Amino acid sequence: MAAERSRRGLDWLNFFVADVQTGFGPFVAVYLTTQAWTEVQIGFALSLGTLTAMISQVPAGALVDAVRDKRRTAMLALLAIAMAAILLAALPSTLPVLLSEVLHGFASCVLTPSIAAISLALVGRARLGERLGRNTRFAALGGAIAAGVMGLVGTYLSPAAVFWLTAALTVPSLICLSSIRPDDLSRQVAAARAEQQAKGRGLVDLLKDRGILVFAACCALFTLSNAAMLPLAGTAVTRQSGDEASLIIAASIVVPQLVVVAISPSVGWLAEARGRRLVLLAGFSMLPLRGALLALVDAPIGLVFVQALDGISAATLNVMLPLIAADLTRGTNRFNLCMGLFGLAVGIGGTISTSLAGAVASWISPGVAFAMLGVIGLLNVLLVWLAMPETREELPEGAVSPA
């Protein structure tokens, strides 16, 4: 019963953490615009936050690995995010805003691996895929609801109210975190430490692992293909639809989130039952298909239906990234460091994607840009097929796959 309470606490922790993180999305640009910031100033602030998040991925992962109490690192990260939100809401001048972006960027890099480590400690490696599927489901649901609520709050109260609400939502997040009992984590943690002592694999050996290098390349190619698709499609929709563009873009964001909510647990179960490569191939194959369809579809409503494919690929990456990191660091204390490496690869791909696609769309045409993004997605599928090893641990003879 106590363990069930901890699992429920982790469910709702993911839900409220997604709420908190949603406040630092596009709402920052809207808010700073109302404070008479120029586009250059806003761009610099947002870029500083992005750069901080990218360079913090690896050190933040190493930090979480080094700290035994992952609940404490998650708590401190949530408090730091609350402080970042309060700085934005109360002091929208240059130095506090820049400090807020840096604080949020680093804290987010600590919070994500902390929750993944808590998940691993709560259920163990054998059921981690299913647990990550539940994490992704609750996070997607929280993010979708928060986007709507914060949009209403920002419109009918004030843009600053979004960040006061963000800070307030850290309170239920902390309550959910406190409901995860340390005793429910200790058994798996003790087993993991015994395994680490038995195998003793070092960091240098870990960084030479072929699977880590291949999957890091997959992560970079994924966001290189994926990140620019919706912004590029949104530009075309805005030109065609005028006042209805915001509604169509909103639907294009919400629909994939609903798909993630629906399929994430199944993605985790399938990865445990049938292996990681099968799930990666199925999920990543949506990228070239989506790129091809976006190059061909002109009707704005068609964008919404095509975007449903984004939910499949997003659910795949969200579940598989921490799951494969756990596989590839089995027997070591480098799980969160590995997640940081993968997160860095994701960030690099996403940063290049929008600039590259925008340049191709301007110099040649949007259709060619979509085709290019689809080809990159196809290269990602081929990389998984030809080079990615199966990382699921082979079950002993006579054992039953997790159900």
Side-chain angles (χ1 to χ4, degrees):
M1 193 66 167
E4 182 61 25
R5 177 188 172 191
S6 293
R7 293 187 186 100
R8 289 294 180 187
L10 183 54
D11 286 340
W12 291 105
L13 174 62
N14 281 281
F15 178 89
F16 285 112
V17 162
D19 291 348
V20 170
Q21 296 288 48
T22 299
F24 284 88
F27 297 106
V28 174
V30 173
Y31 171 57
L32 294 180
T33 300
T34 66
Q35 300 299 313
W37 281 51
T38 66
E39 291 184 0
V40 173
Q41 290 173 315
I42 293 171
F44 178 76
L46 296 178
S47 296
L48 179 63
T50 301
L51 180 62
T52 301
M54 284 182 60
I55 64 177
S56 298
Q57 292 282 350
V58 174
L63 174 65
V64 176
D65 279 334
V67 176
R68 288 194 172 189
D69 189 349
K70 314 304 183 188
R71 294 165 72 250
R72 181 171 296 178
T73 59
M75 179 192 70
L76 293 175
L78 282 167
L79 292 174
I81 291 172
M83 180 59 67
I86 291 170
L87 279 173
L88 270 175
L91 299 168
S93 53
T94 302
L95 186 59
V97 168
L98 296 182
L99 178 59
S100 170
E101 285 292 312
V102 171
L103 191 59
H104 174 258
F106 182 75
S108 295
C109 291
V110 172
L111 183 58
T112 299
S114 295
I115 292 176
I118 290 169
S119 303
L120 177 58
L122 184 61
V123 302
R125 295 186 185 275
R127 302 190 69 88
L128 183 59
E130 295 172 66
R131 178 66 255 178
L132 292 171
R134 287 184 65 88
N135 288 1
T136 302
R137 166 177 278 181
F138 277 83
L141 186 61
I145 293 174
V149 171
M150 289 180 177
L152 293 173
V153 167
T155 300
Y156 294 106
L157 293 180
S158 74
V162 169
F163 302 103
W164 291 116
L165 176 59
T166 296
L169 285 169
T170 60
V171 175
S173 300
L174 290 167
I175 292 172
C176 293
L177 180 62
S178 67
S179 71
I180 302 172
R181 299 173 68 252
D183 289 347
D184 292 332
L185 308 181
S186 58
R187 184 185 306 173
Q188 299 293 346
V189 170
R193 285 179 187 153
E195 184 183 15
Q196 290 156 19
Q197 291 170 0
K199 295 188 177 180
R201 194 177 182 201
L203 175 60
V204 174
D205 292 333
L206 183 67
L207 294 178
K208 293 178 180 178
D209 191 298
R210 171 173 166 264
I212 290 176
L213 296 177
V214 171
F215 190 67
C218 290
C219 290
L221 286 173
F222 180 95
T223 47
L224 183 59
S225 172
N226 182 70
M229 285 191 186
L230 182 57
L232 197 61
T235 301
V237 165
T238 301
R239 293 188 183 123
Q240 292 182 35
S241 304
D243 294 338
E244 296 180 355
S246 295
L247 182 61
I248 293 169
I249 294 300
S252 299
I253 295 172
V254 171
V255 166
Q257 290 286 79
L258 295 178
V259 173
V260 172
V261 170
I263 71 169
S264 291
S266 298
V267 170
W269 175 87
L270 188 62
E272 296 291 5
R274 297 289 181 263
R276 295 11 173 181
R277 291 182 73 252
L278 174 64
V279 174
L280 289 174
L281 287 169
F284 287 0
S285 66
M286 298 300 107
L287 287 172
L289 178 58
R290 186 161 148 247
L293 290 174
L294 288 174
L296 298 173
V297 171
D298 291 327
I301 193 63
L303 171 62
V304 177
F305 290 102
V306 173
Q307 274 298 106
L309 300 176
D310 185 36
I312 299 174
S313 54
T316 300
L317 185 67
N318 290 341
V319 173
M320 298 306 295
L321 189 152
L323 182 58
I324 289 177
D327 290 345
L328 293 170
T329 56
R330 191 180 293 112
T332 74
N333 185 30
R334 303 299 182 188
F335 169 52
N336 297 290
L337 178 59
C338 186
M339 281 192 61
L341 290 170
F342 293 159
L344 177 61
V346 165
I348 291 172
T351 301
I352 297 172
S353 178
T354 49
S355 299
L356 178 62
V360 172
S362 298
W363 297 338
I364 307 176
S365 73
V368 172
F370 282 125
M372 176 197 68
L373 295 174
V375 169
I376 294 171
L378 180 59
L379 291 175
N380 194 18
V381 174
L382 291 174
L383 182 61
V384 172
W385 184 28
L386 298 174
M388 184 67 199
E390 175 56 61
T391 62
R392 183 181 63 157
E393 189 173 26
E394 290 296 326
L395 294 171
E397 189 174 349
V400 180
S401 295

